[in-house]
CSV table of all heavy atoms in Angstrom, one decimal:
chain,number,residue,atom,x,y,z
A,268,GLY,N,-6.8,0.1,6.1
A,268,GLY,CA,-6.9,0.2,4.7
A,268,GLY,C,-8.4,-0.3,4.3
A,268,GLY,O,-9.3,0.5,4.4
A,269,SER,N,-8.5,-1.5,3.9
A,269,SER,CA,-9.7,-2.0,3.3
A,269,SER,C,-10.7,-2.6,4.5
A,269,SER,O,-11.8,-2.9,4.1
A,269,SER,CB,-9.4,-3.1,2.3
A,269,SER,OG,-8.7,-4.2,2.9
A,270,GLY,N,-10.2,-2.7,5.6
A,270,GLY,CA,-11.0,-3.2,6.7
A,270,GLY,C,-12.3,-2.4,7.0
A,270,GLY,O,-12.3,-1.2,6.8
A,271,GLN,N,-13.3,-3.0,7.4
A,271,GLN,CA,-14.7,-2.3,7.6
A,271,GLN,C,-14.6,-1.9,9.1
A,271,GLN,O,-15.3,-2.6,9.9
A,271,GLN,CB,-15.8,-3.3,7.3
A,271,GLN,CG,-15.8,-3.8,5.9
A,271,GLN,CD,-15.9,-2.6,4.9
A,271,GLN,OE1,-16.7,-1.7,5.1
A,271,GLN,NE2,-15.1,-2.6,3.9
A,272,ASN,N,-13.9,-0.8,9.4
A,272,ASN,CA,-14.0,-0.3,10.7
A,272,ASN,C,-13.8,1.2,10.6
A,272,ASN,O,-13.9,1.8,9.5
A,272,ASN,CB,-13.0,-0.9,11.7
A,272,ASN,CG,-11.5,-0.8,11.1
A,272,ASN,OD1,-11.2,0.3,10.5
A,272,ASN,ND2,-10.7,-1.7,11.1
A,273,SER,N,-13.7,1.9,11.7
A,273,SER,CA,-13.8,3.3,11.8
A,273,SER,C,-12.4,4.0,11.6
A,273,SER,O,-12.2,5.2,11.5
A,273,SER,CB,-14.4,3.8,13.1
A,273,SER,OG,-13.7,3.3,14.2
A,274,ASN,N,-11.3,3.1,11.5
A,274,ASN,CA,-10.0,3.7,11.4
A,274,ASN,C,-9.9,4.5,10.0
A,274,ASN,O,-10.5,4.0,9.1
A,274,ASN,CB,-9.0,2.6,11.5
A,274,ASN,CG,-8.8,2.1,12.9
A,274,ASN,OD1,-9.0,2.8,13.8
A,274,ASN,ND2,-8.5,0.8,13.0
A,275,ALA,N,-9.0,5.5,10.0
A,275,ALA,CA,-8.8,6.2,8.8
A,275,ALA,C,-8.2,5.1,7.8
A,275,ALA,O,-7.3,4.3,8.1
A,275,ALA,CB,-7.7,7.3,9.0
A,276,LYS,N,-8.6,5.2,6.6
A,276,LYS,CA,-8.2,4.3,5.5
A,276,LYS,C,-7.0,4.9,4.8
A,276,LYS,O,-7.1,5.6,3.7
A,276,LYS,CB,-9.3,3.9,4.5
A,276,LYS,CG,-10.3,3.1,5.2
A,276,LYS,CD,-11.6,2.8,4.3
A,276,LYS,CE,-12.5,1.8,5.0
A,276,LYS,NZ,-12.9,2.1,6.4
A,277,ILE,N,-5.8,4.7,5.4
A,277,ILE,CA,-4.6,5.4,4.8
A,277,ILE,C,-3.4,4.4,4.5
A,277,ILE,O,-2.3,4.8,4.2
A,277,ILE,CB,-4.1,6.4,5.9
A,277,ILE,CG1,-3.8,5.7,7.2
A,277,ILE,CG2,-5.0,7.5,6.1
A,277,ILE,CD1,-3.1,6.6,8.3
A,278,CYS,N,-3.8,3.1,4.5
A,278,CYS,CA,-2.8,2.0,4.4
A,278,CYS,C,-3.2,1.1,3.3
A,278,CYS,O,-4.3,0.6,3.3
A,278,CYS,CB,-2.5,1.4,5.7
A,278,CYS,SG,-1.3,0.1,5.6
A,279,LYS,N,-2.2,0.7,2.4
A,279,LYS,CA,-2.4,-0.3,1.5
A,279,LYS,C,-1.2,-1.2,1.4
A,279,LYS,O,0.0,-0.7,1.4
A,279,LYS,CB,-2.6,0.4,0.1
A,279,LYS,CG,-2.9,-0.6,-1.1
A,279,LYS,CD,-3.1,0.2,-2.3
A,279,LYS,CE,-3.3,-0.7,-3.5
A,279,LYS,NZ,-3.6,0.1,-4.8
A,280,LEU,N,-1.4,-2.5,1.3
A,280,LEU,CA,-0.3,-3.4,1.3
A,280,LEU,C,-0.3,-4.0,-0.1
A,280,LEU,O,-1.3,-4.5,-0.7
A,280,LEU,CB,-0.6,-4.6,2.2
A,280,LEU,CG,0.4,-5.8,2.3
A,280,LEU,CD1,1.8,-5.2,2.7
A,280,LEU,CD2,0.0,-6.9,3.2
A,281,VAL,N,0.9,-4.0,-0.7
A,281,VAL,CA,1.1,-4.4,-2.2
A,281,VAL,C,2.2,-5.3,-2.2
A,281,VAL,O,3.3,-5.2,-1.7
A,281,VAL,CB,1.4,-3.1,-3.0
A,281,VAL,CG1,1.6,-3.6,-4.5
A,281,VAL,CG2,0.3,-2.2,-2.9
A,282,SER,N,2.1,-6.4,-3.0
A,282,SER,CA,3.1,-7.3,-3.3
A,282,SER,C,3.8,-6.8,-4.6
A,282,SER,O,3.2,-6.7,-5.7
A,282,SER,CB,2.7,-8.8,-3.6
A,282,SER,OG,3.8,-9.5,-4.0
A,283,LEU,N,5.1,-6.3,-4.5
A,283,LEU,CA,5.7,-5.8,-5.6
A,283,LEU,C,6.3,-6.9,-6.7
A,283,LEU,O,6.5,-6.6,-7.7
A,283,LEU,CB,7.0,-5.0,-5.2
A,283,LEU,CG,6.8,-3.9,-4.2
A,283,LEU,CD1,8.1,-3.2,-3.9
A,283,LEU,CD2,5.8,-2.9,-4.8
A,284,GLY,N,6.3,-8.1,-6.2
A,284,GLY,CA,6.8,-9.2,-7.0
A,284,GLY,C,7.3,-10.3,-6.0
A,284,GLY,O,7.1,-10.3,-4.8
A,285,LYS,N,8.0,-11.3,-6.6
A,285,LYS,CA,8.3,-12.5,-5.9
A,285,LYS,C,9.9,-12.5,-5.8
A,285,LYS,O,10.7,-12.1,-6.6
A,285,LYS,CB,7.9,-13.7,-6.5
A,285,LYS,CG,6.3,-13.9,-6.7
A,285,LYS,CD,5.8,-14.2,-5.3
A,285,LYS,CE,4.3,-14.5,-5.4
A,285,LYS,NZ,3.7,-15.0,-4.1
A,286,SER,N,10.4,-13.1,-4.7
A,286,SER,CA,11.8,-13.4,-4.5
A,286,SER,C,12.2,-14.6,-5.3
A,286,SER,O,11.4,-15.3,-5.9
A,286,SER,CB,12.1,-13.6,-3.0
A,286,SER,OG,11.5,-14.8,-2.6
A,287,THR,N,13.5,-15.0,-5.2
A,287,THR,CA,13.9,-16.2,-5.9
A,287,THR,C,13.1,-17.4,-5.5
A,287,THR,O,12.9,-18.3,-6.3
A,287,THR,CB,15.5,-16.4,-5.7
A,287,THR,OG1,16.2,-15.1,-6.0
A,287,THR,CG2,16.0,-17.5,-6.4
A,288,GLN,N,12.9,-17.5,-4.2
A,288,GLN,CA,12.2,-18.7,-3.7
A,288,GLN,C,10.7,-18.4,-3.6
A,288,GLN,O,10.0,-19.1,-2.8
A,288,GLN,CB,12.7,-19.0,-2.3
A,288,GLN,CG,14.2,-19.7,-2.4
A,288,GLN,CD,14.6,-20.2,-1.1
A,288,GLN,OE1,14.6,-19.5,-0.1
A,288,GLN,NE2,14.9,-21.5,-1.1
A,289,ASP,N,10.1,-17.5,-4.4
A,289,ASP,CA,8.7,-17.3,-4.5
A,289,ASP,C,8.1,-16.7,-3.3
A,289,ASP,O,6.8,-16.9,-3.0
A,289,ASP,CB,8.0,-18.6,-5.0
A,289,ASP,CG,6.7,-18.2,-5.7
A,289,ASP,OD1,6.7,-17.3,-6.6
A,289,ASP,OD2,5.7,-19.0,-5.5
A,290,ARG,N,8.8,-15.9,-2.5
A,290,ARG,CA,8.1,-15.1,-1.4
A,290,ARG,C,7.8,-13.7,-1.9
A,290,ARG,O,8.6,-13.1,-2.7
A,290,ARG,CB,9.1,-15.1,-0.3
A,290,ARG,CG,9.4,-16.4,0.5
A,290,ARG,CD,10.3,-16.3,1.7
A,290,ARG,NE,10.5,-17.6,2.4
A,290,ARG,CZ,11.4,-18.4,2.1
A,290,ARG,NH1,12.4,-18.1,1.3
A,290,ARG,NH2,11.5,-19.6,2.8
A,291,ASP,N,6.7,-13.2,-1.4
A,291,ASP,CA,6.3,-11.8,-1.7
A,291,ASP,C,7.3,-10.8,-1.2
A,291,ASP,O,7.7,-10.9,0.0
A,291,ASP,CB,4.9,-11.6,-1.2
A,291,ASP,CG,3.8,-12.3,-2.0
A,291,ASP,OD1,3.7,-11.9,-3.2
A,291,ASP,OD2,3.2,-13.1,-1.4
A,292,ILE,N,7.6,-9.8,-2.0
A,292,ILE,CA,8.3,-8.6,-1.5
A,292,ILE,C,7.3,-7.5,-1.2
A,292,ILE,O,6.8,-7.0,-2.2
A,292,ILE,CB,9.3,-8.2,-2.5
A,292,ILE,CG1,10.4,-9.3,-2.8
A,292,ILE,CG2,10.1,-6.9,-2.0
A,292,ILE,CD1,11.5,-9.0,-3.9
A,293,TRP,N,6.9,-7.4,0.0
A,293,TRP,CA,5.9,-6.5,0.4
A,293,TRP,C,6.2,-5.0,0.4
A,293,TRP,O,7.3,-4.7,0.8
A,293,TRP,CB,5.3,-6.8,1.8
A,293,TRP,CG,4.7,-8.3,1.8
A,293,TRP,CD1,5.2,-9.3,2.6
A,293,TRP,CD2,3.5,-8.7,1.2
A,293,TRP,NE1,4.4,-10.4,2.5
A,293,TRP,CE2,3.4,-10.1,1.7
A,293,TRP,CE3,2.6,-8.2,0.4
A,293,TRP,CZ2,2.3,-10.9,1.2
A,293,TRP,CZ3,1.5,-8.9,0.0
A,293,TRP,CH2,1.3,-10.2,0.4
A,294,ALA,N,5.3,-4.2,0.1
A,294,ALA,CA,5.4,-2.7,0.1
A,294,ALA,C,4.2,-2.2,0.8
A,294,ALA,O,3.1,-2.5,0.5
A,294,ALA,CB,5.6,-2.0,-1.2
A,295,VAL,N,4.3,-1.3,1.7
A,295,VAL,CA,3.2,-0.7,2.4
A,295,VAL,C,3.1,0.8,1.9
A,295,VAL,O,4.2,1.6,2.0
A,295,VAL,CB,3.3,-0.6,4.0
A,295,VAL,CG1,2.2,0.1,4.6
A,295,VAL,CG2,3.4,-2.2,4.4
A,296,LYS,N,2.0,1.2,1.4
A,296,LYS,CA,1.8,2.5,1.0
A,296,LYS,C,0.9,3.2,2.0
A,296,LYS,O,-0.1,2.7,2.5
A,296,LYS,CB,1.1,2.6,-0.4
A,296,LYS,CG,0.8,4.0,-0.9
A,296,LYS,CD,0.0,3.9,-2.2
A,296,LYS,CE,-0.4,5.3,-2.7
A,296,LYS,NZ,-1.1,5.3,-4.0
A,297,ILE,N,1.3,4.4,2.5
A,297,ILE,CA,0.6,5.1,3.5
A,297,ILE,C,0.5,6.6,3.1
A,297,ILE,O,1.5,7.3,2.8
A,297,ILE,CB,1.4,5.1,4.9
A,297,ILE,CG1,1.5,3.7,5.4
A,297,ILE,CG2,0.7,6.0,5.9
A,297,ILE,CD1,2.3,3.5,6.7
A,298,THR,N,-0.7,7.0,2.9
A,298,THR,CA,-1.0,8.3,2.6
A,298,THR,C,-2.5,8.6,2.8
A,298,THR,O,-3.3,7.7,3.0
A,298,THR,CB,-0.6,8.7,1.1
A,298,THR,OG1,-0.7,10.1,0.8
A,298,THR,CG2,-1.5,8.0,0.1
A,299,ASP,N,-3.0,9.9,2.7
A,299,ASP,CA,-4.4,10.1,3.1
A,299,ASP,C,-5.4,9.8,1.9
A,299,ASP,O,-6.5,9.6,2.2
A,299,ASP,CB,-4.5,11.6,3.6
A,299,ASP,CG,-4.2,12.6,2.4
A,299,ASP,OD1,-3.3,12.3,1.6
A,299,ASP,OD2,-4.9,13.7,2.4
A,300,LYS,N,-4.9,9.8,0.7
A,300,LYS,CA,-5.7,9.5,-0.4
A,300,LYS,C,-5.0,8.4,-1.2
A,300,LYS,O,-4.3,8.7,-2.1
A,300,LYS,CB,-6.0,10.8,-1.3
A,300,LYS,CG,-6.7,11.9,-0.5
A,300,LYS,CD,-6.9,13.1,-1.4
A,300,LYS,CE,-7.8,14.2,-0.7
A,300,LYS,NZ,-7.1,14.7,0.5
A,301,LEU,N,-5.4,7.2,-0.9
A,301,LEU,CA,-4.7,6.1,-1.4
A,301,LEU,C,-4.8,5.9,-2.9
A,301,LEU,O,-3.9,5.4,-3.6
A,301,LEU,CB,-5.1,4.8,-0.7
A,301,LEU,CG,-4.6,4.6,0.8
A,301,LEU,CD1,-5.4,3.4,1.4
A,301,LEU,CD2,-3.2,4.4,0.8
A,302,SER,N,-6.0,6.2,-3.4
A,302,SER,CA,-6.3,6.0,-4.8
A,302,SER,C,-6.1,7.2,-5.7
A,302,SER,O,-6.4,7.1,-6.9
A,302,SER,CB,-7.7,5.4,-5.0
A,302,SER,OG,-8.7,6.3,-4.5
A,303,LYS,N,-5.7,8.3,-5.1
A,303,LYS,CA,-5.6,9.5,-5.9
A,303,LYS,C,-4.1,9.9,-6.0
A,303,LYS,O,-3.4,10.0,-5.0
A,303,LYS,CB,-6.4,10.6,-5.2
A,303,LYS,CG,-6.4,11.9,-6.1
A,303,LYS,CD,-7.3,13.0,-5.3
A,303,LYS,CE,-7.3,14.2,-6.1
A,303,LYS,NZ,-8.1,15.3,-5.5
A,304,GLU,N,-3.7,10.3,-7.2
A,304,GLU,CA,-2.4,10.8,-7.4
A,304,GLU,C,-2.4,12.4,-7.1
A,304,GLU,O,-3.1,13.1,-7.8
A,304,GLU,CB,-1.9,10.7,-8.9
A,304,GLU,CG,-0.4,10.9,-9.0
A,304,GLU,CD,0.1,10.3,-10.3
A,304,GLU,OE1,-0.7,9.6,-11.0
A,304,GLU,OE2,1.3,10.3,-10.6
A,305,GLU,N,-1.6,12.7,-6.2
A,305,GLU,CA,-1.6,14.2,-5.7
A,305,GLU,C,-0.3,14.8,-6.1
A,305,GLU,O,0.8,14.2,-6.3
A,305,GLU,CB,-1.9,14.2,-4.2
A,305,GLU,CG,-3.2,13.6,-3.7
A,305,GLU,CD,-3.5,13.8,-2.3
A,305,GLU,OE1,-4.0,14.9,-1.9
A,305,GLU,OE2,-3.1,13.0,-1.5
A,306,ASN,N,-0.3,16.2,-5.9
A,306,ASN,CA,0.9,17.0,-6.1
A,306,ASN,C,1.6,16.9,-4.7
A,306,ASN,O,1.6,17.8,-4.0
A,306,ASN,CB,0.6,18.4,-6.5
A,306,ASN,CG,1.8,19.3,-6.5
A,306,ASN,OD1,2.9,18.9,-6.5
A,306,ASN,ND2,1.5,20.6,-6.5
A,307,GLU,N,2.4,15.8,-4.5
A,307,GLU,CA,3.1,15.6,-3.2
A,307,GLU,C,4.3,14.7,-3.6
A,307,GLU,O,4.2,13.9,-4.4
A,307,GLU,CB,2.2,15.1,-2.1
A,307,GLU,CG,1.6,13.8,-2.4
A,307,GLU,CD,0.6,13.3,-1.4
A,307,GLU,OE1,0.2,14.2,-0.6
A,307,GLU,OE2,0.3,12.1,-1.3
A,308,PRO,N,5.3,14.9,-2.7
A,308,PRO,CA,6.5,14.0,-3.0
A,308,PRO,C,6.2,12.6,-2.6
A,308,PRO,O,5.5,12.3,-1.7
A,308,PRO,CB,7.6,14.7,-2.2
A,308,PRO,CG,6.8,15.4,-1.1
A,308,PRO,CD,5.5,15.9,-1.7
A,309,GLU,N,6.9,11.7,-3.3
A,309,GLU,CA,6.9,10.2,-3.0
A,309,GLU,C,8.2,9.9,-2.3
A,309,GLU,O,9.3,10.2,-2.7
A,309,GLU,CB,6.8,9.5,-4.3
A,309,GLU,CG,5.5,9.7,-5.0
A,309,GLU,CD,5.4,8.9,-6.3
A,309,GLU,OE1,5.9,7.7,-6.3
A,309,GLU,OE2,4.8,9.4,-7.3
């Protein structure tokens, strides 16, 4: 994702919010254009 290396930047880690005990509920987004909304199914 955001790392400075030669790997394809296709991954983004997002905290959707917190659990009852304040733990992050993580979501991983994987697509070829992370910041662009495309005509493709989610």
Side-chain angles (χ1 to χ4, degrees):
S269 59
Q271 300 300 313
N272 55 41
S273 60
N274 290 330
K276 291 175 172 50
I277 57 172
C278 174
K279 180 179 180 180
L280 180 63
V281 178
S282 174
L283 301 180
K285 298 287 189 175
S286 70
T287 302
Q288 292 188 302
D289 205 38
R290 294 184 174 95
D291 287 294
I292 299 176
W293 296 114
V295 177
K296 179 182 179 181
I297 299 176
T298 190
D299 64 327
K300 295 180 178 64
L301 287 171
S302 60
K303 183 178 180 181
E304 192 163 0
E305 297 185 89
N306 176 14
E307 59 186 19
E309 296 181 34

